[in-house]
Amino acid sequence: MIPELWTCIFSLFFFYVHGAKLPEPEVKIEVSYKPFLCHRKSKYGDMLLVHYEGFLESNGTMFHSSRHNGDKNPIWFTLGIREVIRGWDKGLQGMCTGEKRKLTIPPALAYGKEGKGKIPPESTLIFDMELVEIRNGPRSHESFQEMDLNDDWKLSKLEVKEYLRKEFERHGYPPNDTHHEAMAEDIFQKEDEDNDGYISAREFTYKHDEL
Ligand SMILES: [Ca+2]
Ligand SMILES: [Ca+2]
């Protein structure tokens, strides 16, 4: 009985350890043009201005081109906050202004099982991307990550209060719970736009010109 038990435990162990190592779907990145001068590379929290053409890998159909559809302008988005498909967040890092890349994005990092509009379910997508401009995000991703203690991509009141406490200490002020409580309430009133009790990465990173 005992050896069988060990076999069982061992295979469970094997299953969990190796189960956890299942490969995360990856974006295939091919650089088609790299400018000679590169002063700065894109990183999480940056605002990127991009032109793009999107194709279905299955039959090569182009489903969107920023140069030919809509107002024909390139589009702005913030990198790394899931404002766009995950394949873009993963595939457009460390990129120079003027650089061109071809991204091959598996469905899990694009529109998945549901698809969207002209994109059928389970589609692998190919994007020809050109990075036109990089600007600093209105609030950096770094400070969000620092505040988001449990990495769930949203800030709870506790996390905000903890951050205030640390900031107070860093500047040599004694922590003041009543004060932090009031400040956190105030911050949530301004920032928690959908009133779900959390400040999401998106709520944090966006607009708020008054701050
Ligand atoms: Ca959190
Ligand atoms: Ca919210």
Side-chain angles (χ1 to χ4, degrees):
M1 289 302 281
I2 295 295
E4 272 167 37
L5 183 66
W6 276 111
T7 312
C8 172
I9 289 173
F10 181 75
S11 48
L12 269 177
F13 175 78
F14 197 77
F15 174 79
Y16 279 108
V17 168
H18 290 266
K21 275 189 183 168
L22 275 179
E24 160 95 335
E26 282 301 328
V27 177
K28 185 175 157 207
I29 301 171
E30 292 160 275
V31 177
S32 44
Y33 174 74
K34 190 123 189 165
F36 181 66
L37 286 175
C38 185
H39 298 293
R40 167 180 182 174
K41 288 183 175 178
S42 58
K43 61 170 175 46
Y44 279 165
D46 283 341
M47 305 258 303
L48 306 189
L49 182 66
V50 295
H51 258 314
Y52 71 97
E53 264 109 48
F55 303 87
L56 303 178
E57 190 197 45
S58 56
N59 58 13
T61 311
M62 182 164 80
F63 58 84
H64 193 87
S65 162
S66 60
R67 288 182 181 84
H68 299 107
N69 301 128
D71 60 9
K72 301 182 183 178
N73 287 321
I75 62 151
W76 283 107
F77 72 96
T78 306
L79 186 65
I81 60 165
R82 301 191 189 179
E83 185 186 338
V84 288
I85 55 172
R86 286 176 65 212
W88 278 28
D89 277 343
K90 281 172 168 272
L92 299 175
Q93 295 175 62
M95 200 170 173
C96 308
T97 305
E99 185 175 327
K100 292 178 186 175
R101 285 182 181 180
K102 180 181 167 185
L103 305 180
T104 305
I105 302 177
L109 300 177
Y111 296 102
K113 291 190 181 76
E114 275 88 50
K116 191 187 176 189
K118 294 180 193 167
I119 300 167
E122 297 291 359
S123 295
T124 295
L125 304 180
I126 295 178
F127 285 96
D128 282 328
M129 309 288 313
E130 178 181 354
L131 179 52
V132 179
E133 195 180 332
I134 307 175
R135 282 192 203 157
N136 284 325
R139 301 184 193 197
S140 77
H141 180 76
E142 285 81 357
S143 52
F144 183 86
Q145 276 193 317
E146 193 186 327
M147 294 170 81
D148 182 19
L149 300 173
N150 65 352
D151 291 325
D152 66 352
W153 288 80
K154 51 190 192 181
L155 304 177
S156 65
K157 260 183 202 161
L158 267 176
E159 286 170 331
V160 170
K161 277 192 274 182
E162 186 55 35
Y163 180 77
L164 292 170
R165 186 171 296 127
K166 276 193 234 154
E167 282 297 292
F168 266 56
E169 275 175 10
R170 190 172 357 195
H171 293 99
Y173 296 106
N176 176 332
D177 275 338
T178 328
H179 202 152
H180 300 326
E181 185 78 44
M183 283 174 80
E185 286 300 333
D186 199 42
I187 289 168
F188 268 76
Q189 220 153 55
K190 288 203 191 92
E191 312 278 33
D192 181 15
E193 283 170 287
D194 63 0
N195 285 313
D196 69 348
Y198 293 94
I199 298 170
S200 64
R202 195 164 176 164
E203 286 168 336
F204 179 85
T205 317
Y206 262 131
K207 47 192 186 262
H208 307 296
D209 298 328
E210 75 279 8
L211 293 172

